[in-house]
């Protein structure tokens, strides 16, 4: 699934768009200037996302259960670490550009707070890096360590 942000600008090309009201359809326009399906559009890339959330203490069992439910609902999540008052979620996102990947990440916690019964914490940190940068950091021995083991784990 490709997620794109309406009106995004990439590599000097402008994407045209139409404003929409709630419930209205909108024309999706690719960066080459045509509407969706008329020609080649932007190529999606992989972005490594680290989302940090924090707030009032919650029972560890509830935090773990919520993160496990989020991982079950969205299997793209690689790993989550948690404590009573904070958590970190790491995953790969496919998006056209950093702006799109960051927008999806910033919505993740809030949009799934009720369905996964996540604590009412706020986002306190976000890092989005491209695949090449991620692998350069890992090879150099710094930056986000490889996301292993996969799953939900306490700090």
């Amino acid at each position: 699934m490709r997620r794109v942000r309406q009106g995004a600008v990439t590599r000097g090309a402008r994407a045209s768009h139409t404003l929409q009201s709630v419930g209205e359809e909108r024309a999706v326009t690719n960066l080459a200037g045509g509407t969706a399906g008329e020609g080649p559009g932007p190529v999606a890339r992989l972005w490594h996302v680290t989302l940090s959330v924090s707030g009032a203490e919650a029972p560890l069992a509830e935090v773990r259960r919520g993160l496990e439910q989020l991982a079950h609902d969205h299997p793209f999540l690689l790993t989550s670490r948690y404590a009573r008052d904070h958590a970190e979620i790491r995953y790969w996102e496919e998006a056209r550009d950093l702006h799109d990947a960051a927008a999806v990440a910033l919505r993740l916690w809030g949009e799934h707070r009720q369905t996964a019964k996540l604590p009412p914490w706020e986002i306190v940190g976000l890092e989005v890096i491209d695949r090449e940068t991620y692998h350069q950091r890992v090879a150099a021995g710094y930056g986000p360590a490889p996301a292993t083991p996969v799953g939900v784990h306490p700090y």
Side-chain angles (χ1 to χ4, degrees):
M1 170 192 281
R2 289 179 57 200
R3 299 176 184 120
V4 293
R5 180 173 53 92
Q6 180 178 349
V9 177
T10 303
R11 296 187 187 146
R14 287 189 98 25
S16 62
H17 62 281
T18 58
L19 296 177
Q20 70 181 49
S21 300
V22 175
E24 262 184 48
E25 293 290 322
R26 70 179 161 114
V28 177
T29 305
N30 68 35
L31 294 179
T35 57
E38 286 185 2
V43 176
R45 297 167 45 191
L46 283 177
W47 302 88
H48 186 267
V49 176
T50 303
L51 181 70
S52 300
V53 294
S54 181
E57 286 193 4
L60 283 175
E62 289 180 23
V63 175
R64 180 181 182 95
R65 188 210 38 75
L67 290 171
E68 287 174 341
Q69 183 63 47
L70 182 62
H72 175 75
D73 293 345
H74 301 279
F76 59 83
L77 296 177
L78 290 177
T79 187
S80 298
R81 299 187 302 171
Y82 65 94
R84 291 183 189 277
D85 62 349
H86 64 282
E88 176 184 272
I89 300 168
R90 297 177 54 202
Y91 64 95
W92 288 97
E93 179 68 52
E94 183 178 55
R96 177 176 58 180
D97 58 24
L98 180 136
H99 298 282
D100 290 348
V104 171
L106 290 170
R107 290 191 312 264
L108 178 70
W109 191 263
E111 287 182 356
H112 300 286
R113 185 177 294 152
Q114 291 212 344
T115 57
K117 297 182 181 167
L118 297 165
W121 296 342
E122 67 177 331
I123 296 171
V124 296
L126 174 64
E127 180 184 52
V128 180
I129 57 175
D130 67 357
R131 185 177 182 174
E132 182 180 339
T133 302
Y134 174 84
H135 288 295
Q136 287 172 349
R137 286 183 177 184
V138 170
Y142 66 92
T148 55
V150 173
V152 177
H153 306 281
Y155 274 102

